[in-house]
Amino acid sequence: MAVAIIGGTGLTRLDHLEITHREVVHTPYGEPSGPITHGILHGREVLFLARHGYGHTIPPHRVNYRANLWALQHLGVERLFAVAAVGGIHEAMYPGRVGFPDQVIDYTWDRKHTFFEDDLTHVTHIDFTYPYDDAMRQLLMAAAREVDLDAVEGGTYGATQGPRLETAAEIRRMKRDGCDVVGMTGMPEAALARELGIGYASCTVVANWAAGLDPAPITMEEIERHLNTGMENVRQLFGALIPKLES
């Protein structure tokens, strides 16, 4: 059962991945964010794709999510772990902390969010009640416990359009809506994976407090500092997770 990891901001490459080759995949939906990297990670074959491109040049609203997901499925991927940088809204989601959300609210607009729109023989609706694969989330949580990672096991991811950060009023609304973290790439990625039958789980890394929750301004220096800590935790997490995955 092929496994893939999509890396977001702060994770444009996987440490300890022994790269075997890179593969360019052309899709009916355009070009993915880059070639798919094939390699061996902790003794297991893994595919890797940098969501924003390997040079981190693609903003969240311009990521070709359909091409990325189609390319991975075309290569046989059945399980996909997605890493994403987010802003913390709930007090438990402080900068540097890792979380595994179990729900999502979509605030994005004008994104290609479905494969089911042209040349259909019938209208297709997917069940998206629980947007993340629970068995995969359980694997993530077990791996976090194994390495004593202080991770949040649950929560709601609020997906915004970007690329700008949110206003304080928008974050207040999202908090009232029940969002625990805010990010720009969680949708339509999760829904497209569900449409293709790919098991999908998200690992979020809090890069900063969301707008208006800290009196200090949000700076890229702050974000990078917390991402360095958070992504090191993610690398330890995958070090425990990957060897335990069934083939």
Side-chain angles (χ1 to χ4, degrees), residues 117-136:
E117 59 182 5
D118 295 318
D119 303 319
L120 301 179
T121 58
H122 61 279
V123 175
T124 301
H125 303 284
I126 59 167
D127 181 2
F128 205 52
T129 307
Y130 303 102
Y132 303 105
D133 185 287
D134 188 60
M136 293 173 59

mmCIF file with all atom_site columns, all heavy atoms in Angstrom, residues 117-136:
data_model
loop_
_atom_site.group_PDB
_atom_site.id
_atom_site.type_symbol
_atom_site.label_atom_id
_atom_site.label_alt_id
_atom_site.label_comp_id
_atom_site.label_asym_id
_atom_site.label_entity_id
_atom_site.label_seq_id
_atom_site.pdbx_PDB_ins_code
_atom_site.Cartn_x
_atom_site.Cartn_y
_atom_site.Cartn_z
_atom_site.occupancy
_atom_site.B_iso_or_equiv
_atom_site.pdbx_formal_charge
_atom_site.auth_seq_id
_atom_site.auth_comp_id
_atom_site.auth_asym_id
_atom_site.auth_atom_id
_atom_site.pdbx_PDB_model_num
ATOM 1   N N   . GLU A 1 117 ? -17.139 17.236 -12.071 1.00 0.00 ? 117 GLU A N   1
ATOM 2   C CA  . GLU A 1 117 ? -17.834 18.400 -12.620 1.00 0.00 ? 117 GLU A CA  1
ATOM 3   C C   . GLU A 1 117 ? -18.047 18.355 -14.129 1.00 0.00 ? 117 GLU A C   1
ATOM 4   O O   . GLU A 1 117 ? -18.943 19.023 -14.638 1.00 0.00 ? 117 GLU A O   1
ATOM 5   C CB  . GLU A 1 117 ? -17.100 19.679 -12.245 1.00 0.00 ? 117 GLU A CB  1
ATOM 6   C CG  . GLU A 1 117 ? -15.667 19.782 -12.716 1.00 0.00 ? 117 GLU A CG  1
ATOM 7   C CD  . GLU A 1 117 ? -14.993 21.066 -12.253 1.00 0.00 ? 117 GLU A CD  1
ATOM 8   O OE1 . GLU A 1 117 ? -15.614 21.827 -11.493 1.00 0.00 ? 117 GLU A OE1 1
ATOM 9   O OE2 . GLU A 1 117 ? -13.847 21.316 -12.665 1.00 0.00 ? 117 GLU A OE2 1
ATOM 10  N N   . ASP A 1 118 ? -17.265 17.595 -14.887 1.00 0.00 ? 118 ASP A N   1
ATOM 11  C CA  . ASP A 1 118 ? -17.403 17.572 -16.346 1.00 0.00 ? 118 ASP A CA  1
ATOM 12  C C   . ASP A 1 118 ? -17.621 16.142 -16.835 1.00 0.00 ? 118 ASP A C   1
ATOM 13  O O   . ASP A 1 118 ? -17.108 15.176 -16.259 1.00 0.00 ? 118 ASP A O   1
ATOM 14  C CB  . ASP A 1 118 ? -16.141 18.136 -17.019 1.00 0.00 ? 118 ASP A CB  1
ATOM 15  C CG  . ASP A 1 118 ? -15.931 19.605 -16.706 1.00 0.00 ? 118 ASP A CG  1
ATOM 16  O OD1 . ASP A 1 118 ? -16.922 20.355 -16.724 1.00 0.00 ? 118 ASP A OD1 1
ATOM 17  O OD2 . ASP A 1 118 ? -14.784 19.995 -16.429 1.00 0.00 ? 118 ASP A OD2 1
ATOM 18  N N   . ASP A 1 119 ? -18.392 16.020 -17.926 1.00 0.00 ? 119 ASP A N   1
ATOM 19  C CA  . ASP A 1 119 ? -18.600 14.732 -18.601 1.00 0.00 ? 119 ASP A CA  1
ATOM 20  C C   . ASP A 1 119 ? -19.085 13.657 -17.630 1.00 0.00 ? 119 ASP A C   1
ATOM 21  O O   . ASP A 1 119 ? -18.625 12.511 -17.660 1.00 0.00 ? 119 ASP A O   1
ATOM 22  C CB  . ASP A 1 119 ? -17.311 14.268 -19.293 1.00 0.00 ? 119 ASP A CB  1
ATOM 23  C CG  . ASP A 1 119 ? -16.796 15.292 -20.301 1.00 0.00 ? 119 ASP A CG  1
ATOM 24  O OD1 . ASP A 1 119 ? -17.622 15.862 -21.028 1.00 0.00 ? 119 ASP A OD1 1
ATOM 25  O OD2 . ASP A 1 119 ? -15.571 15.524 -20.329 1.00 0.00 ? 119 ASP A OD2 1
ATOM 26  N N   . LEU A 1 120 ? -20.027 14.005 -16.790 1.00 0.00 ? 120 LEU A N   1
ATOM 27  C CA  . LEU A 1 120 ? -20.527 13.071 -15.794 1.00 0.00 ? 120 LEU A CA  1
ATOM 28  C C   . LEU A 1 120 ? -21.672 12.232 -16.357 1.00 0.00 ? 120 LEU A C   1
ATOM 29  O O   . LEU A 1 120 ? -22.488 12.718 -17.135 1.00 0.00 ? 120 LEU A O   1
ATOM 30  C CB  . LEU A 1 120 ? -21.026 13.820 -14.561 1.00 0.00 ? 120 LEU A CB  1
ATOM 31  C CG  . LEU A 1 120 ? -20.015 14.711 -13.817 1.00 0.00 ? 120 LEU A CG  1
ATOM 32  C CD1 . LEU A 1 120 ? -20.705 15.396 -12.641 1.00 0.00 ? 120 LEU A CD1 1
ATOM 33  C CD2 . LEU A 1 120 ? -18.828 13.899 -13.327 1.00 0.00 ? 120 LEU A CD2 1
ATOM 34  N N   . THR A 1 121 ? -21.739 10.989 -15.919 1.00 0.00 ? 121 THR A N   1
ATOM 35  C CA  . THR A 1 121 ? -22.908 10.152 -16.224 1.00 0.00 ? 121 THR A CA  1
ATOM 36  C C   . THR A 1 121 ? -23.960 10.296 -15.134 1.00 0.00 ? 121 THR A C   1
ATOM 37  O O   . THR A 1 121 ? -25.129 9.962  -15.337 1.00 0.00 ? 121 THR A O   1
ATOM 38  C CB  . THR A 1 121 ? -22.498 8.672  -16.343 1.00 0.00 ? 121 THR A CB  1
ATOM 39  O OG1 . THR A 1 121 ? -21.869 8.252  -15.118 1.00 0.00 ? 121 THR A OG1 1
ATOM 40  C CG2 . THR A 1 121 ? -21.519 8.486  -17.504 1.00 0.00 ? 121 THR A CG2 1
ATOM 41  N N   . HIS A 1 122 ? -23.551 10.774 -13.966 1.00 0.00 ? 122 HIS A N   1
ATOM 42  C CA  . HIS A 1 122 ? -24.471 11.045 -12.871 1.00 0.00 ? 122 HIS A CA  1
ATOM 43  C C   . HIS A 1 122 ? -23.779 11.996 -11.897 1.00 0.00 ? 122 HIS A C   1
ATOM 44  O O   . HIS A 1 122 ? -22.559 12.090 -11.863 1.00 0.00 ? 122 HIS A O   1
ATOM 45  C CB  . HIS A 1 122 ? -24.884 9.758  -12.153 1.00 0.00 ? 122 HIS A CB  1
ATOM 46  C CG  . HIS A 1 122 ? -23.738 9.018  -11.548 1.00 0.00 ? 122 HIS A CG  1
ATOM 47  N ND1 . HIS A 1 122 ? -22.915 8.195  -12.280 1.00 0.00 ? 122 HIS A ND1 1
ATOM 48  C CD2 . HIS A 1 122 ? -23.247 8.994  -10.270 1.00 0.00 ? 122 HIS A CD2 1
ATOM 49  C CE1 . HIS A 1 122 ? -21.986 7.675  -11.496 1.00 0.00 ? 122 HIS A CE1 1
ATOM 50  N NE2 . HIS A 1 122 ? -22.154 8.156  -10.282 1.00 0.00 ? 122 HIS A NE2 1
ATOM 51  N N   . VAL A 1 123 ? -24.577 12.690 -11.114 1.00 0.00 ? 123 VAL A N   1
ATOM 52  C CA  . VAL A 1 123 ? -24.036 13.593 -10.104 1.00 0.00 ? 123 VAL A CA  1
ATOM 53  C C   . VAL A 1 123 ? -23.494 12.760 -8.939  1.00 0.00 ? 123 VAL A C   1
ATOM 54  O O   . VAL A 1 123 ? -24.130 11.810 -8.493  1.00 0.00 ? 123 VAL A O   1
ATOM 55  C CB  . VAL A 1 123 ? -25.115 14.570 -9.600  1.00 0.00 ? 123 VAL A CB  1
ATOM 56  C CG1 . VAL A 1 123 ? -24.579 15.431 -8.459  1.00 0.00 ? 123 VAL A CG1 1
ATOM 57  C CG2 . VAL A 1 123 ? -25.595 15.449 -10.750 1.00 0.00 ? 123 VAL A CG2 1
ATOM 58  N N   . THR A 1 124 ? -22.309 13.118 -8.474  1.00 0.00 ? 124 THR A N   1
ATOM 59  C CA  . THR A 1 124 ? -21.657 12.357 -7.414  1.00 0.00 ? 124 THR A CA  1
ATOM 60  C C   . THR A 1 124 ? -21.476 13.223 -6.169  1.00 0.00 ? 124 THR A C   1
ATOM 61  O O   . THR A 1 124 ? -20.984 14.341 -6.259  1.00 0.00 ? 124 THR A O   1
ATOM 62  C CB  . THR A 1 124 ? -20.283 11.847 -7.882  1.00 0.00 ? 124 THR A CB  1
ATOM 63  O OG1 . THR A 1 124 ? -20.449 11.025 -9.043  1.00 0.00 ? 124 THR A OG1 1
ATOM 64  C CG2 . THR A 1 124 ? -19.603 11.038 -6.786  1.00 0.00 ? 124 THR A CG2 1
ATOM 65  N N   . HIS A 1 125 ? -21.889 12.677 -5.038  1.00 0.00 ? 125 HIS A N   1
ATOM 66  C CA  . HIS A 1 125 ? -21.684 13.329 -3.740  1.00 0.00 ? 125 HIS A CA  1
ATOM 67  C C   . HIS A 1 125 ? -20.858 12.389 -2.864  1.00 0.00 ? 125 HIS A C   1
ATOM 68  O O   . HIS A 1 125 ? -21.145 11.191 -2.783  1.00 0.00 ? 125 HIS A O   1
ATOM 69  C CB  . HIS A 1 125 ? -23.012 13.610 -3.037  1.00 0.00 ? 125 HIS A CB  1
ATOM 70  C CG  . HIS A 1 125 ? -23.961 14.438 -3.838  1.00 0.00 ? 125 HIS A CG  1
ATOM 71  N ND1 . HIS A 1 125 ? -23.818 15.799 -4.001  1.00 0.00 ? 125 HIS A ND1 1
ATOM 72  C CD2 . HIS A 1 125 ? -25.075 14.094 -4.537  1.00 0.00 ? 125 HIS A CD2 1
ATOM 73  C CE1 . HIS A 1 125 ? -24.810 16.269 -4.750  1.00 0.00 ? 125 HIS A CE1 1
ATOM 74  N NE2 . HIS A 1 125 ? -25.583 15.254 -5.094  1.00 0.00 ? 125 HIS A NE2 1
ATOM 75  N N   . ILE A 1 126 ? -19.844 12.899 -2.220  1.00 0.00 ? 126 ILE A N   1
ATOM 76  C CA  . ILE A 1 126 ? -19.065 12.082 -1.287  1.00 0.00 ? 126 ILE A CA  1
ATOM 77  C C   . ILE A 1 126 ? -19.522 12.350 0.137   1.00 0.00 ? 126 ILE A C   1
ATOM 78  O O   . ILE A 1 126 ? -19.956 13.453 0.460   1.00 0.00 ? 126 ILE A O   1
ATOM 79  C CB  . ILE A 1 126 ? -17.547 12.354 -1.413  1.00 0.00 ? 126 ILE A CB  1
ATOM 80  C CG1 . ILE A 1 126 ? -17.235 13.846 -1.133  1.00 0.00 ? 126 ILE A CG1 1
ATOM 81  C CG2 . ILE A 1 126 ? -17.027 11.928 -2.778  1.00 0.00 ? 126 ILE A CG2 1
ATOM 82  C CD1 . ILE A 1 126 ? -15.761 14.141 -0.917  1.00 0.00 ? 126 ILE A CD1 1
ATOM 83  N N   . ASP A 1 127 ? -19.415 11.337 0.984   1.00 0.00 ? 127 ASP A N   1
ATOM 84  C CA  . ASP A 1 127 ? -19.660 11.524 2.411   1.00 0.00 ? 127 ASP A CA  1
ATOM 85  C C   . ASP A 1 127 ? -18.407 12.154 3.011   1.00 0.00 ? 127 ASP A C   1
ATOM 86  O O   . ASP A 1 127 ? -17.331 11.555 2.995   1.00 0.00 ? 127 ASP A O   1
ATOM 87  C CB  . ASP A 1 127 ? -19.951 10.174 3.067   1.00 0.00 ? 127 ASP A CB  1
ATOM 88  C CG  . ASP A 1 127 ? -20.231 10.305 4.564   1.00 0.00 ? 127 ASP A CG  1
ATOM 89  O OD1 . ASP A 1 127 ? -20.233 11.451 5.075   1.00 0.00 ? 127 ASP A OD1 1
ATOM 90  O OD2 . ASP A 1 127 ? -20.430 9.269  5.212   1.00 0.00 ? 127 ASP A OD2 1
ATOM 91  N N   . PHE A 1 128 ? -18.567 13.347 3.555   1.00 0.00 ? 128 PHE A N   1
ATOM 92  C CA  . PHE A 1 128 ? -17.431 14.083 4.113   1.00 0.00 ? 128 PHE A CA  1
ATOM 93  C C   . PHE A 1 128 ? -17.693 14.438 5.577   1.00 0.00 ? 128 PHE A C   1
ATOM 94  O O   . PHE A 1 128 ? -17.127 15.381 6.114   1.00 0.00 ? 128 PHE A O   1
ATOM 95  C CB  . PHE A 1 128 ? -17.190 15.342 3.272   1.00 0.00 ? 128 PHE A CB  1
ATOM 96  C CG  . PHE A 1 128 ? -15.785 15.870 3.316   1.00 0.00 ? 128 PHE A CG  1
ATOM 97  C CD1 . PHE A 1 128 ? -14.699 15.057 3.051   1.00 0.00 ? 128 PHE A CD1 1
ATOM 98  C CD2 . PHE A 1 128 ? -15.542 17.213 3.596   1.00 0.00 ? 128 PHE A CD2 1
ATOM 99  C CE1 . PHE A 1 128 ? -13.396 15.549 3.076   1.00 0.00 ? 128 PHE A CE1 1
ATOM 100 C CE2 . PHE A 1 128 ? -14.251 17.727 3.606   1.00 0.00 ? 128 PHE A CE2 1
ATOM 101 C CZ  . PHE A 1 128 ? -13.179 16.883 3.360   1.00 0.00 ? 128 PHE A CZ  1
ATOM 102 N N   . THR A 1 129 ? -18.559 13.635 6.212   1.00 0.00 ? 129 THR A N   1
ATOM 103 C CA  . THR A 1 129 ? -18.904 13.883 7.606   1.00 0.00 ? 129 THR A CA  1
ATOM 104 C C   . THR A 1 129 ? -17.653 13.954 8.472   1.00 0.00 ? 129 THR A C   1
ATOM 105 O O   . THR A 1 129 ? -17.501 14.846 9.308   1.00 0.00 ? 129 THR A O   1
ATOM 106 C CB  . THR A 1 129 ? -19.837 12.774 8.126   1.00 0.00 ? 129 THR A CB  1
ATOM 107 O OG1 . THR A 1 129 ? -20.961 12.644 7.250   1.00 0.00 ? 129 THR A OG1 1
ATOM 108 C CG2 . THR A 1 129 ? -20.321 13.096 9.533   1.00 0.00 ? 129 THR A CG2 1
ATOM 109 N N   . TYR A 1 130 ? -16.781 12.973 8.273   1.00 0.00 ? 130 TYR A N   1
ATOM 110 C CA  . TYR A 1 130 ? -15.507 12.921 8.984   1.00 0.00 ? 130 TYR A CA  1
ATOM 111 C C   . TYR A 1 130 ? -14.393 13.014 7.947   1.00 0.00 ? 130 TYR A C   1
ATOM 112 O O   . TYR A 1 130 ? -14.079 12.034 7.277   1.00 0.00 ? 130 TYR A O   1
ATOM 113 C CB  . TYR A 1 130 ? -15.415 11.641 9.819   1.00 0.00 ? 130 TYR A CB  1
ATOM 114 C CG  . TYR A 1 130 ? -16.560 11.534 10.801  1.00 0.00 ? 130 TYR A CG  1
ATOM 115 C CD1 . TYR A 1 130 ? -17.645 10.703 10.547  1.00 0.00 ? 130 TYR A CD1 1
ATOM 116 C CD2 . TYR A 1 130 ? -16.577 12.312 11.958  1.00 0.00 ? 130 TYR A CD2 1
ATOM 117 C CE1 . TYR A 1 130 ? -18.713 10.636 11.437  1.00 0.00 ? 130 TYR A CE1 1
ATOM 118 C CE2 . TYR A 1 130 ? -17.643 12.250 12.855  1.00 0.00 ? 130 TYR A CE2 1
ATOM 119 C CZ  . TYR A 1 130 ? -18.708 11.415 12.587  1.00 0.00 ? 130 TYR A CZ  1
ATOM 120 O OH  . TYR A 1 130 ? -19.766 11.354 13.451  1.00 0.00 ? 130 TYR A OH  1
ATOM 121 N N   . PRO A 1 131 ? -13.810 14.206 7.765   1.00 0.00 ? 131 PRO A N   1
ATOM 122 C CA  . PRO A 1 131 ? -12.942 14.458 6.612   1.00 0.00 ? 131 PRO A CA  1
ATOM 123 C C   . PRO A 1 131 ? -11.589 13.772 6.658   1.00 0.00 ? 131 PRO A C   1
ATOM 124 O O   . PRO A 1 131 ? -10.923 13.667 5.617   1.00 0.00 ? 131 PRO A O   1
ATOM 125 C CB  . PRO A 1 131 ? -12.783 15.981 6.625   1.00 0.00 ? 131 PRO A CB  1
ATOM 126 C CG  . PRO A 1 131 ? -13.037 16.386 8.044   1.00 0.00 ? 131 PRO A CG  1
ATOM 127 C CD  . PRO A 1 131 ? -14.041 15.420 8.561   1.00 0.00 ? 131 PRO A CD  1
ATOM 128 N N   . TYR A 1 132 ? -11.162 13.315 7.840   1.00 0.00 ? 132 TYR A N   1
ATOM 129 C CA  . TYR A 1 132 ? -9.844  12.701 7.952   1.00 0.00 ? 132 TYR A CA  1
ATOM 130 C C   . TYR A 1 132 ? -9.990  11.219 8.282   1.00 0.00 ? 132 TYR A C   1
ATOM 131 O O   . TYR A 1 132 ? -10.894 10.817 9.015   1.00 0.00 ? 132 TYR A O   1
ATOM 132 C CB  . TYR A 1 132 ? -9.011  13.394 9.038   1.00 0.00 ? 132 TYR A CB  1
ATOM 133 C CG  . TYR A 1 132 ? -8.846  14.884 8.800   1.00 0.00 ? 132 TYR A CG  1
ATOM 134 C CD1 . TYR A 1 132 ? -9.558  15.812 9.551   1.00 0.00 ? 132 TYR A CD1 1
ATOM 135 C CD2 . TYR A 1 132 ? -7.992  15.357 7.801   1.00 0.00 ? 132 TYR A CD2 1
ATOM 136 C CE1 . TYR A 1 132 ? -9.414  17.183 9.326   1.00 0.00 ? 132 TYR A CE1 1
ATOM 137 C CE2 . TYR A 1 132 ? -7.848  16.721 7.576   1.00 0.00 ? 132 TYR A CE2 1
ATOM 138 C CZ  . TYR A 1 132 ? -8.554  17.625 8.333   1.00 0.00 ? 132 TYR A CZ  1
ATOM 139 O OH  . TYR A 1 132 ? -8.420  18.965 8.119   1.00 0.00 ? 132 TYR A OH  1
ATOM 140 N N   . ASP A 1 133 ? -9.086  10.420 7.733   1.00 0.00 ? 133 ASP A N   1
ATOM 141 C CA  . ASP A 1 133 ? -9.100  8.978  7.944   1.00 0.00 ? 133 ASP A CA  1
ATOM 142 C C   . ASP A 1 133 ? -8.748  8.687  9.407   1.00 0.00 ? 133 ASP A C   1
ATOM 143 O O   . ASP A 1 133 ? -7.644  8.987  9.860   1.00 0.00 ? 133 ASP A O   1
ATOM 144 C CB  . ASP A 1 133 ? -8.093  8.313  7.002   1.00 0.00 ? 133 ASP A CB  1
ATOM 145 C CG  . ASP A 1 133 ? -8.138  6.809  7.073   1.00 0.00 ? 133 ASP A CG  1
ATOM 146 O OD1 . ASP A 1 133 ? -7.670  6.255  8.082   1.00 0.00 ? 133 ASP A OD1 1
ATOM 147 O OD2 . ASP A 1 133 ? -8.627  6.180  6.112   1.00 0.00 ? 133 ASP A OD2 1
ATOM 148 N N   . ASP A 1 134 ? -9.687  8.090  10.134  1.00 0.00 ? 134 ASP A N   1
ATOM 149 C CA  . ASP A 1 134 ? -9.475  7.915  11.569  1.00 0.00 ? 134 ASP A CA  1
ATOM 150 C C   . ASP A 1 134 ? -8.369  6.918  11.872  1.00 0.00 ? 134 ASP A C   1
ATOM 151 O O   . ASP A 1 134 ? -7.604  7.111  12.833  1.00 0.00 ? 134 ASP A O   1
ATOM 152 C CB  . ASP A 1 134 ? -10.769 7.464  12.248  1.00 0.00 ? 134 ASP A CB  1
ATOM 153 C CG  . ASP A 1 134 ? -10.643 7.471  13.767  1.00 0.00 ? 134 ASP A CG  1
ATOM 154 O OD1 . ASP A 1 134 ? -10.385 8.551  14.332  1.00 0.00 ? 134 ASP A OD1 1
ATOM 155 O OD2 . ASP A 1 134 ? -10.757 6.386  14.373  1.00 0.00 ? 134 ASP A OD2 1
ATOM 156 N N   . ALA A 1 135 ? -8.255  5.843  11.082  1.00 0.00 ? 135 ALA A N   1
ATOM 157 C CA  . ALA A 1 135 ? -7.198  4.858  11.331  1.00 0.00 ? 135 ALA A CA  1
ATOM 158 C C   . ALA A 1 135 ? -5.825  5.504  11.180  1.00 0.00 ? 135 ALA A C   1
ATOM 159 O O   . ALA A 1 135 ? -4.899  5.227  11.964  1.00 0.00 ? 135 ALA A O   1
ATOM 160 C CB  . ALA A 1 135 ? -7.344  3.681  10.379  1.00 0.00 ? 135 ALA A CB  1
ATOM 161 N N   . MET A 1 136 ? -5.671  6.379  10.192  1.00 0.00 ? 136 MET A N   1
ATOM 162 C CA  . MET A 1 136 ? -4.400  7.068  9.998   1.00 0.00 ? 136 MET A CA  1
ATOM 163 C C   . MET A 1 136 ? -4.135  8.063  11.121  1.00 0.00 ? 136 MET A C   1
ATOM 164 O O   . MET A 1 136 ? -3.000  8.238  11.563  1.00 0.00 ? 136 MET A O   1
ATOM 165 C CB  . MET A 1 136 ? -4.381  7.742  8.631   1.00 0.00 ? 136 MET A CB  1
ATOM 166 C CG  . MET A 1 136 ? -4.385  6.735  7.473   1.00 0.00 ? 136 MET A CG  1
ATOM 167 S SD  . MET A 1 136 ? -4.568  7.501  5.862   1.00 0.00 ? 136 MET A SD  1
ATOM 168 C CE  . MET A 1 136 ? -3.154  8.582  5.797   1.00 0.00 ? 136 MET A CE  1
#
